[in-house]
Amino acid sequence: MKITEDDVIESLELFTRVPSFILRRWARGRTNLASRFRSQIIEGYSQLSESDRERVRAVLQMDVSDIQNILEAAHLKTGKRQLGILADPSSRNFIEINLGEIRNILSQEFHRD
């Protein structure tokens, strides 16, 4: 499955829930937000359709550079500051940290033997 800027735009409310000045602070501080929202991630993922789960898995397997390119394209189409913040190369570590944590959470919760 290929993720595009249209997928990001379709899910724009997920990116714009947080004011841009707070997102910028979290990104600069490389805050591990996923660990803070573990139960919400588990609950949300469990309620997704299989198609939406496939999208999540596709994103989790992507290279951060590719994700940021998609975010930049979506930023150019929408002008949303939050997308521009995440597309900025300085946010790479923030994205890596949170994607890694989400991978860990989902792996532990949904791939138990």
Side-chain angles (χ1 to χ4, degrees):
M1 169 173 275
K2 183 175 170 37
I3 304 298
T4 68
E5 67 266 15
D6 291 331
D7 294 314
V8 171
I9 293 168
E10 188 177 302
S11 302
L12 198 55
E13 75 280 352
L14 295 173
F15 295 94
T16 58
R17 286 182 184 167
V18 175
S20 57
F21 74 94
I22 293 174
L23 181 59
R24 185 180 320 278
R25 184 178 334 143
W26 286 339
R28 286 183 182 157
R30 299 178 179 138
T31 304
N32 184 342
L33 292 175
S35 67
R36 295 181 184 181
F37 293 99
R38 179 183 181 86
S39 61
Q40 291 93 329
I41 291 168
I42 293 166
E43 181 180 338
Y45 187 80
S46 69
Q47 294 176 7
L48 293 176
S49 67
E50 186 53 39
S51 173
D52 287 338
R53 284 185 181 201
E54 188 176 326
R55 279 185 181 179
V56 170
R57 289 190 296 267
V59 170
L60 293 175
Q61 294 173 0
M62 291 175 66
D63 182 74
V64 174
S65 297
D66 294 335
I67 292 170
Q68 287 188 298
N69 288 338
I70 292 167
L71 290 167
E72 178 61 22
H75 173 246
L76 292 173
K77 281 187 175 181
T78 65
K80 294 296 181 180
R81 290 182 185 157
Q82 292 88 338
L83 298 176
I85 291 166
L86 294 172
D88 189 293
S90 68
S91 295
R92 180 180 182 89
N93 288 337
F94 171 73
I95 294 170
E96 287 172 341
I97 289 165
N98 284 282
L99 285 177
E101 185 68 25
I102 293 168
R103 285 184 199 107
N104 183 42
I105 291 168
L106 296 180
S107 174
Q108 288 177 359
E109 191 65 28
F110 294 98
H111 296 104
R112 291 182 175 163
D113 293 330

